Amino acid sequence: MGGYVFFCSGWENNVMCHFVEKETFNSFITMKKLFLLISFLLVVGSVSASGRRNISDFTRGGNRSAQSAAAKTDKTDAVYKSISQQYADGKISADSVVNLALYHKVWSRPLAERCLQLVADKSPRAAMELGVLYAFSPEYAAKASEGVKLLESSAKVGYNDANCYLGLYNFNHNDYKTAKSYFDACSPMNLGIGYAALGGMYIEGKGVNEDPARARENYRQSALKGYPRGMALYGFNLRASAAGKISYPDSFFWLYIAGDLGDDAARTILYLPERNEFRGESETANKAKEALQWIRKVQSGKKIQNEQIYREGFLPSLKDRELAAEQGDDWARFYLGSMNYNGDFLNQNYKQVIHYYEPIARNGKLPANLLALVNERLAEIYRDGKGTEVNTTKAAEYARKAAQYGSLPAYLITENIN
């Protein structure tokens, strides 16, 4: 076959075969292991009900001291007292209490829990959000069964997202048939992580017939909902011929956005430094670290510029992405703005970041976690005068918006928490 080898990759009964250039054969070995890795890591340790980024995404500064922990307790007590008093006085509704609970959840889950408990018997939405907290947060493992009951009660009165969360709960407990029934009940889903889970079921034939094409479509929907691992899985799947047409430009596009949102599997594929997404000593975290270490070893000494995904993915599509951005595509704007912000594949240029990011912030059409990052970075740029004059008014406004979308750093600034 000259410069090609016939290569089959897969697991269990799902095998995909390709004619592969010899020079990229090692990349496909990496792809196989990485697909297993990022599928395996779909286990839900923490779910954000509003689609915001998880708290772990922002733990850059290490653990708080005992003194600051005490200050945090005082702050949460004061915030809860204010909210509960406003509710008792009729100044805010039960739905407003839920909104405040979700806003403060990014900083303190116990505070969110207390607020949700305050109105859970009056608001099915509050009951659903409390159910999510109990069913998916490791620190509330003892209350998981109570969380499931809360989700079931919310689903019965028409809260569609509750069905999605019940699907995820059963997916995580390997009851794929039940998971599929709940996912069907909440279609169309609002949760990116739900689409990603369903995609994984179609990949491995768990609870459904194996269907790589349907898996890809679910991964695409997950990506569009803003779920970083869904983006990584979709970008990765775009390189598998059994799932449909191969597209290296789209693969690179989605992998880069996933990586910018902190997905280390996607970052590893693109040879970008990891951001230590996998923390703690859990079995999942340790297996993830081990797999990524293996991949780094395989890639040692290589450069992304020599890889097919760069040659056929990034370079040929750059002008098309720039054109799409100028024509109003906010996804393309995020992609290019982030590259200019990080200095990845393009030179760092804060003026270009402002050019691409400000329309995104005005439009507010991207998923919440992307909007949080966009506004957070714009606040930093105007606060520090990067590529522009210092503008504290703009910085404060962007920080406020970022906090509302779930940015913990912006939340801490906006709420004046040290």
Side-chain angles (χ1 to χ4, degrees), residues 201-223:
M201 290 166 63
Y202 278 115
I203 280 289
E204 300 195 51
K206 292 182 175 179
V208 295
N209 293 327
E210 292 177 19
D211 191 333
R214 292 187 72 174
R216 175 182 287 188
E217 176 56 23
N218 278 282
Y219 291 148
R220 187 181 75 86
Q221 293 293 337
S222 177

Side-chain angles (χ1 to χ4, degrees), residues 29-46:
I29 295 176
T30 298
M31 185 187 298
K32 175 185 176 182
K33 185 152 187 172
L34 203 50
F35 210 163
L36 284 167
L37 164 68
I38 56 184
S39 297
F40 167 72
L41 290 174
L42 190 58
V43 175
V44 183
S46 170

Side-chain angles (χ1 to χ4, degrees), residues 7 14 40 51 57 63 87 109 157 170 175 178 180 240 269 282 310 312 314 344 348-349 397-398 409:
F7 172 61
N14 183 41
F40 167 72
D57 293 339
N63 296 326
Y87 179 65
R109 291 186 187 181
V157 296
N170 283 279
D175 186 348
T178 303
K180 180 61 165 56
I269 294 173
S282 70
Y310 180 83
E312 298 182 19
F314 171 68
D344 295 330
Q348 194 171 56
N349 186 328
E397 179 62 16
Y398 282 124

Side-chain angles (χ1 to χ4, degrees), residues 223-226 231 253-254 257 328-336 360 366-367 370:
L224 291 172
K225 295 292 184 182
M231 296 175 184
F253 177 82
W254 286 109
I257 295 177
D329 184 335
D330 280 350
W331 284 102
R333 286 169 172 162
F334 182 85
Y335 173 76
L336 295 168
I360 297 175
L366 290 184
L370 279 77

Side-chain angles (χ1 to χ4, degrees), residues 361-378:
R362 286 195 301 270
N363 293 339
K365 293 180 180 179
L366 290 184
N369 54 335
L370 279 77
L371 291 172
L373 189 58
V374 163
N375 282 281
E376 177 189 320
R377 287 173 172 174
L378 286 171

Side-chain angles (χ1 to χ4, degrees), residues 42-45 47 131-138 140-152 161-180 182-183 186 189 191 193-194 197-198 201:
L42 190 58
V43 175
V44 183
V47 176
V132 170
L133 195 66
Y134 289 163
F136 294 101
S137 302
Y140 292 104
K143 294 185 176 182
S145 60
E146 181 182 348
V148 172
K149 291 178 181 178
L150 287 165
L151 289 170
E152 288 173 342
D161 282 1
N163 284 307
C164 296
Y165 288 120
L166 287 166
L168 282 170
Y169 184 85
N170 283 279
F171 173 88
N172 289 339
H173 289 80
N174 302 318
D175 186 348
Y176 301 109
K177 184 177 180 180
T178 303
K180 180 61 165 56
Y182 277 120
F183 285 143
C186 70
M189 285 185 284
L191 306 177
I193 195 169
L198 189 56
M201 290 166 63

